[in-house]
């Protein structure tokens, strides 16, 4: 994947681009995305993938003027416009799924194929979504992965926790990335999407890991019910990070969009 | 020097195994540990102690705001301050402060502070904290990376409400108000002095310097560990071209415990100090700093190392000797305390001292004993530390000369005859 920059109204946006095939825009979750992400590579096998970073993620510039859900939604439309894309397959994971669903709801005639992978955006008091903002690093794998041990190894790979600068770098990245994500996810990741889902016209596939302990599979039914004609693909032995735990199954599900 | 007697109002009945059985003293503390019936006595004792400090000549009595917190049963400091405004005579009412990003609309703070200033006869010192991440983000749900912007708007609105004599419209991002026209307004002009509690945010330095507000560093880890941070502030005062380095531009909170001798101080107070540092400061690290609450600039400055618990596993392992030697607490005989207070005051160049003289689960009699020894045997010797700035009154309350206090009703019950005479 190649890291590039495209200018938008708010800020220059960094994005990964690679692969050949139908255009596909991938919106990452609150943890971000890197060039080495195996899910991007798998998508790029059959698609021309564009994966824009939310401002503040990776090395991208922050955007103080993107504050609320509508700002995030319109900004991401601005990115698609700036990339010169028309009706790409729109795929979003977690927070990215929430943004993708909002985009499809505000502009239903501009999105014909939508894949939502354990998206955020709905809330039910009896099925609380874990508070990722107050989780400590060591608590993350248990929440994010079906296999917490393998997940922990994945999260710490390539990081030198003995490095004295590690903590500061970690804190800065966290502040930039989760600080931005908090604008639509804190303290409760719900901004009224439930009342807008009905507007979505896209052919929609909803993908969920059966052992998702961050956004419980309960919510899959909320999305399925809210989006007419949508299809739910449940994936066994996969948690919230189903995109890395069961990459081929997720890619196969997206393939159903044609 | 200005000495403010400060009470955090800790809940004094946290069990011995609190630390083992609970993950946090703050945010999600077990509500069953609070006993409302017992709190009746706790509140009244704590308010009595604040009033007692006024009778001993402390310059101020201080209260603050915390939510869902085992060491602070004061979610609304203004309620305590209202009682103090009635029952104290001379001390400034130091509300340090109201977390102004939390009030909707913040005009409420302008109004309540005006009420306190009017009731107390102009004795209010107004504190505007951003609020800790625990309070502001985790308890009160403010979005971390927008908290500062909202705080700034709240501040601007409050100051404009205090200083504008005609109704005005406020079209803010977080507040849309067609008719701002506060009633009542404060006695002190142009407005009560403002203190900003800060914990190492670089932006807060400039905010204080530019507005002639006092910067208050409220830490529990003592003056030795505060030196780097306060030096950063004074360097900034110089860089920013402020006209002076008046010590009243800064305040510092310090735990202080006085007895006849150093040994007596340890004997009387060590269990209460241990209660505070081991149980009251037991905060789940995940609540300490919501991502986005601090600015990148502040994280990069490294000032947050102040917040790291002491090396070697935190406070539990610190003995009385460690806490005294490392300056977390200043404790001992009047002479010991005087010497160390001098070191603090000179070392940090601070004119406003927030004296944390009630600690943890300290009973009232011990607290009175320590407070009185400080007031009579230490405070007088520290009064003239900064003769060059003796006249600097920019950062302190300016009360009316003639003030009334509670009990102003006529001594004799009015009768038909006396009223006829008075109103003849």
């Amino acid at each position: 994947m190649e890291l590039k920059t495209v200018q938008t109204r708010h800020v220059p946006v960094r994005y990964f681009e690679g692969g050949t095939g139908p255009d596909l825009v991938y919106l990452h979750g609150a943890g971000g995305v890197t060039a080495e992400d195996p899910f991007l590579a798998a998508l790029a096998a059959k698609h021309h993938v564009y994966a824009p970073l939310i401002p503040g993620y990776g090395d991208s510039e922050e955007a103080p003027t993107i504050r609320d859900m509508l700002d995030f939604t319109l900004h991401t439309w601005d990115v698609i416009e700036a990339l010169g894309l028309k009706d790409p397959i729109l795929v979003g994971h977690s927070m990215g799924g929430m943004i993708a669903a909002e985009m499809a709801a505000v502009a239903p005639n501009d999105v014909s194929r939508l894949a939502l992978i354990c998206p955020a955006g709905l809330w039910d008091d009896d099925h609380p979504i874990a508070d990722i903002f107050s989780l400590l690093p060591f608590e993350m794998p248990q929440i994010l992965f079906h296999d917490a041990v393998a997940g922990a190894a994945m999260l710490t790979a390539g990081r030198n926790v003995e490095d004295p600068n590690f903590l500061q770098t970690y804190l800065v990245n966290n502040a930039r990335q989760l600080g931005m994500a908090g604008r639509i996810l804190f303290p409760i990741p719900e901004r009224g999407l439930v009342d807008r889902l009905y507007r979505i016209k896209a052919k929609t596939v909803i993908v969920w890991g059966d052992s998702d302990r961050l956004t419980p599979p309960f919510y899959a039914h909320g999305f399925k019910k809210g989006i007419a004609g949508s299809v739910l693909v449940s994936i066994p032995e996969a948690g919230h990070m189903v995109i890395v735990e069961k990459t081929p199954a997720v890619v196969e599900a997206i393939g159903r969009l044609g | 020097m200005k000495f403010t007697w400060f009470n955090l109002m800790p809940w004094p009945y946290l069990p011995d195994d609190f630390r083992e059985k609970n993950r946090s003293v703050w945010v999600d503390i077990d509500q069953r540990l609070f006993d409302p019936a017992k709190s009746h006595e706790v509140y009244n004792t704590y308010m009595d102690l604040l009033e007692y400090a006024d009778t001993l000549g402390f310059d101020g009595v201080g209260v603050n705001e915390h939510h869902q917190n085992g060491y602070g049963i004061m979610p609304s400091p203004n309620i305590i301050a209202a009682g103090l405004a009635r029952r104290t005579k001379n001390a400034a009412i130091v509300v340090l402060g109201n977390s102004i990003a939390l009030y909707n609309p913040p005009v409420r703070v302008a109004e309540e502070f005006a009420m306190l200033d009017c009731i107390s006869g102009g004795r209010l010192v107004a504190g505007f904290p951003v609020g800790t991440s625990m309070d502001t983000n985790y308890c009160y749900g403010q979005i971390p990376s927008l908290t500062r912007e909202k705080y700034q708007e709240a501040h601007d609105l409050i100051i404009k409400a205090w200083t504008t004599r005609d109704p005005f419209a406020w079209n803010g991002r977080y507040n849309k108000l067609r008719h701002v026209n506060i009633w009542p307004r404060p006695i002190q002009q142009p407005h009560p002095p403002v203190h900003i509690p800060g914990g190492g945010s670089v932006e807060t330095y400039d905010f204080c310097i530019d507005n002639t507000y006092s910067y208050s560093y409220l830490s529990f880890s003592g003056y030795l560990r505060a030196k780097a941070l306060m030096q950063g502030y004074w360097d900034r005062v110089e860089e920013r071209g402020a006209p002076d380095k008046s010590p009243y531009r800064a305040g510092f909170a310090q735990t202080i415990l006085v007895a006849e001798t150093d040994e007596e101080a340890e004997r009387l107070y060590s269990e209460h100090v241990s209660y505070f540092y081991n149980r009251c400061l037991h905060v789940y690290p995940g609540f300490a700093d919501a991502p986005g609450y601090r600015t990148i600039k502040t994280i990069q400055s490294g000032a947050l190392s102040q917040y790291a618990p002491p090396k070697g596993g935190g406070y539990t392992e610190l003995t009385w000797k460690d806490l005294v030697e490392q300056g977390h607490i200043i404790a001992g005989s009047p002479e010991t305390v005087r010497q160390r207070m001098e070191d603090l005051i000179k070392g940090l160049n601070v004119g406003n001292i927030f004296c944390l003289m009630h600690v943890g689960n300290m009973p009232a009699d011990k607290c009175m004993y320590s407070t009185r020894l400080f007031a009579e045997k230490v405070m007088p010797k520290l009064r003239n530390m900064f003769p060059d700035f003796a006249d600097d009154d920019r950062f302190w309350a300016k009360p009316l000369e003639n003030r009334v206090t509670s009990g102003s009703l006529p001594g004799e019950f009015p009768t038909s005859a006396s009223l006829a005479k008075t109103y003849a």
Side-chain angles (χ1 to χ4, degrees), chain A residues 153-167:
Chain A
M154 224 179 289
L155 288 181
T156 51
R159 295 185 182 181
N160 177 10
V161 292
E162 299 297 315
D163 180 352
N165 293 320
F166 173 80
L167 180 66

Side-chain angles (χ1 to χ4, degrees), chain A residues 54 60 143 152 206:
Chain A
I54 298 283
S60 71
I143 296 285
I206 299 158

Side-chain angles (χ1 to χ4, degrees), chain B residues 86-145:
Chain B
R86 289 270 297 163
R87 299 266 301 166
T88 60
K89 289 191 168 63
N90 298 311
I93 309 292
V94 182
V95 183
L96 208 61
N98 284 183
S99 302
I100 55 178
L102 302 180
Y103 293 80
N104 182 22
V107 171
R108 176 76 181 212
V109 174
E111 291 172 333
E112 289 193 2
F113 273 179
M115 287 176 69
L116 287 171
D117 203 42
C118 293
I119 294 170
S120 68
R123 289 187 284 140
L124 179 74
V125 173
F128 295 150
V130 172
T132 67
S133 198
M134 289 72 92
D135 293 312
T136 306
N137 305 132
Y138 289 108
C139 296
Y140 266 39
Q142 299 301 311
I143 292 174
S145 71

Side-chain angles (χ1 to χ4, degrees), chain B residues 5 48 237 315 362:
Chain B
W5 197 98
D48 283 344
V237 167
Y315 287 110
M362 194 181 199

Side-chain angles (χ1 to χ4, degrees), chain A residues 21-92:
Chain A
D23 291 338
L24 182 150
V25 170
Y26 171 69
L27 305 179
H28 64 78
V33 65
T34 63
E36 297 78 34
D37 196 302
F39 183 58
L40 283 190
L43 287 174
K46 284 184 182 169
H47 300 91
H48 189 162
V49 174
Y50 299 83
L53 298 180
I54 298 283
Y57 275 78
D59 66 352
S60 71
E61 204 174 301
E62 291 170 84
T65 51
I66 296 175
R67 294 182 179 87
D68 63 16
M69 194 68 239
L70 185 60
D71 294 338
F72 275 76
T73 306
L74 297 182
H75 162 74
T76 313
W77 271 121
D78 289 351
V79 173
I80 288 180
E81 174 86 14
L83 291 170
L85 303 175
K86 287 267 185 266
D87 191 18
I89 299 170
L90 190 55
V91 180

Side-chain angles (χ1 to χ4, degrees), chain A residues 62 64 66-68 131 133-136 139 168 171-176 178-180 182-184 186-187 191, chain B residues 23 137-138 141-146 149 173-174 284-287 289-292 294 296 299-302 304:
Chain A
E62 291 170 84
I66 296 175
R67 294 182 179 87
D68 63 16
D131 178 8
F133 297 93
S134 67
L135 284 180
L136 299 177
E139 297 170 313
Q168 196 178 77
L171 289 174
V172 167
N173 284 341
N174 235 16
R176 278 165 49 84
L178 287 184
M180 194 63 184
R183 295 179 181 190
I184 52 174
F186 191 94
R191 295 292 187 270
Chain B
R23 79 165 183 169
N137 305 132
Y138 289 108
Q142 299 301 311
I143 292 174
S145 71
L146 298 175
E149 188 177 71
R173 183 171 299 282
Y174 299 94
Y284 173 65
F287 293 143
D289 226 335
R294 304 219 180 251
I296 304 299
I299 299 170
Q300 285 170 337
S301 76
L304 301 182

